[in-house]
Amino acid sequence: MKNILCIVPLMLISVFISGQNPLIMDQFTADPSARVFNGRVYVYPSHDIVAPEGKGLREDWFCMEDYHVYSSENLTEWIDHGMILSQYDVDWVDSTTYSMWAPDCIERNGKYYFYFPSIERNHEPRRRNRIGVAVSDSPTGPFSPESKPIEGVYGIDPNPFIDSDGQAYLYWGAGEFLYMAKLKENMLELATEPEKVVHLQKEFKEGAYMFERNGIYYFTYPYVPETTERLVYATGDNPMGPFEYRGVIMKESPNACWTNHHSIIEYNNQWLLFYHHNDLSPHFDKNRSIKADSLFFNPDGTIQEVFPTWRGVGISNAENKVQIDRYTAISESGISVDFVDSLDTHRGWKVAFEQSGAWLSYNQVDFSNPNLEMLETKLKGNAEASFEIRLNSPEGEILASVHSNSSNEWEIHENPLNEYPEGTHNLFVVSTCNKQFEIDWVRFK
Ligand code: FUB
């Protein structure tokens, strides 16, 4: 069995996904470690699954068997490069534990080092969390795991960091403490003894992430002020600290997802926060979904609080399905959003309009193709529906007027477009009737 499963990472499975928040709809994903390699964003998340039956696993706990990597150039179209590492591929991992928790990846001298935690085999009854490394010549693998975990490292949530002087560091969590050590040039061994990171002032929990900007070292991490994790940060003038607590990056999940694991990158002159909530699994917070939102700095280097959105980041191509239920803003009344199918949340959401004047906006849609002529709408209703697509405000230029005698089944409707100024526009969908109708997505062709 082991041999069969080891072959799987060698197969490149590329699935094209168009996404807002959550970024990945067809699987549960968590703990997003985002990196920029060769001008492209790669995200290395954990992969939450529902615990398989008959394995003696807790149904109410994390269950994680393998890792995928995703990449994107425009932050709205994500490629799933397939599975890059599984618990069955790693000699030292106890593959009965499904404990492939939060990973991270970093590049050095053209090699990609993928750090991952798991539970070590042959240490019953006392289970030990260890951290291993898998190496590849490509950010998408195949990754070859080292046969043993990193000597001297016991814990979870590895975060590698390479300073501008070339010195590499590894941070990881163990219980209530965060540890760090220098890494050797080979990135596989510690160069110094592990030491505790001190002076955080807010109790460290897990999921640390280090980055540097303008000479300030940002040590960012979740902590639990009451019942769920809040993302906060501390700063120092070197990677070893001490670090002074500075403030909140993102408050607790609105849906009480207990964990929030994050990473922060700069891409195309915009800083981005990657994090997770449980949008696709609102009643079970161990099946999570990764998200991204823009992050901004104040002139003094402090971080402005980030508020989670559904719209997320990136410019959406008008020719792809625009999931307007991942809206930027909606009117105060006459509109609501719900799952298309609450028994299969991976199908995403729909938006229901109930009264004339109700509107939603969806920012940043790319209309640079001058040959777009038709609006496609996936629509459902039991009465005559009418709405307008307007540009840039609820009273803006009308791009399309739709009068559809829609049925009670989902149908694709086509309507001609009026002329429009080419470029990137904010879409407004405005109801012009007092009947209920639902939209799953719109697309232009
Ligand atoms: O995903 C499992 C664990 O939950 C991670 O290792 C932590 O950071 C938390 O997100």
Side-chain angles (χ1 to χ4, degrees), residues 30-31 46 48 62 64 101-102 156-157 206-207 259 261 276 288:
D31 307 322
S46 312
D48 288 343
F62 302 106
M64 296 141 98
W101 285 14
I156 60 168
D157 295 351
E206 52 187 4
T259 61
H261 187 117
H276 71 227
R288 300 156 294 179

Side-chain angles (χ1 to χ4, degrees), residues 70-232:
Y70 302 85
S71 78
S72 177
E73 204 169 341
N74 63 9
L75 303 171
T76 55
E77 290 152 6
W78 290 89
I79 295 173
D80 177 354
H81 296 275
M83 198 209 344
I84 55 167
L85 192 72
S86 137
Q87 62 177 358
Y88 308 104
D89 301 334
V90 188
D91 288 342
W92 60 266
V93 165
D94 179 350
S95 61
T96 66
T97 60
Y98 291 71
S99 53
M100 303 295 268
W101 285 14
D104 200 350
C105 188
I106 203 161
E107 184 268 342
R108 182 172 201 129
N109 298 331
K111 291 220 178 287
Y112 296 83
Y113 297 87
F114 182 75
Y115 296 83
F116 60 96
S118 197
I119 292 177
E120 189 179 19
R121 69 163 86 223
N122 298 331
H123 271 279
E124 297 291 349
R126 195 175 145 259
R127 293 182 159 196
R128 297 204 302 196
N129 291 298
R130 303 298 303 271
I131 289 172
V133 197
V135 187
S136 175
D137 292 327
S138 155
T140 57
F143 283 91
S144 304
E146 294 291 297
S147 59
K148 291 186 176 155
I150 305 174
E151 189 65 39
V153 180
Y154 298 86
I156 60 168
D157 295 351
N159 168 232
F161 169 75
I162 302 178
D163 202 3
S164 51
D165 64 2
Q167 177 61 57
Y169 299 82
L170 186 69
Y171 304 85
W172 68 95
E176 299 297 309
F177 297 105
L178 176 83
Y179 289 86
M180 64 186 166
K182 289 183 179 172
L183 282 166
K184 288 187 182 170
E185 177 82 18
N186 67 14
M187 302 296 279
L188 306 174
E189 297 169 276
L190 299 189
T192 57
E193 287 297 312
E195 49 186 283
K196 281 181 190 163
V197 178
V198 289
H199 300 309
L200 290 177
Q201 290 168 308
K202 299 281 181 200
E203 185 187 308
F204 167 76
K205 260 295 168 204
E206 52 187 4
Y209 182 83
M210 163 67 75
F211 69 97
E212 182 270 345
R213 177 181 179 269
N214 296 339
I216 300 175
Y217 292 80
Y218 292 83
F219 180 76
T220 66
Y221 60 102
Y223 97 109
V224 182
E226 289 177 12
T227 52
T228 57
E229 290 184 342
R230 173 183 291 190
L231 298 180
V232 298

Side-chain angles (χ1 to χ4, degrees), residues 206-272:
E206 52 187 4
Y209 182 83
M210 163 67 75
F211 69 97
E212 182 270 345
R213 177 181 179 269
N214 296 339
I216 300 175
Y217 292 80
Y218 292 83
F219 180 76
T220 66
Y221 60 102
Y223 97 109
V224 182
E226 289 177 12
T227 52
T228 57
E229 290 184 342
R230 173 183 291 190
L231 298 180
V232 298
Y233 72 109
T235 59
D237 62 9
N238 76 83
M240 305 287 280
F243 300 101
E244 185 184 349
Y245 177 76
R246 304 297 289 216
V248 174
I249 301 174
M250 177 176 274
K251 291 209 179 87
E252 293 86 322
S253 130
N255 200 29
C257 184
W258 194 86
T259 61
N260 193 1
H261 187 117
H262 72 296
S263 56
I264 294 171
I265 57 168
E266 185 182 22
Y267 183 62
N268 291 343
N269 300 317
Q270 174 63 56
W271 286 86
L272 301 165

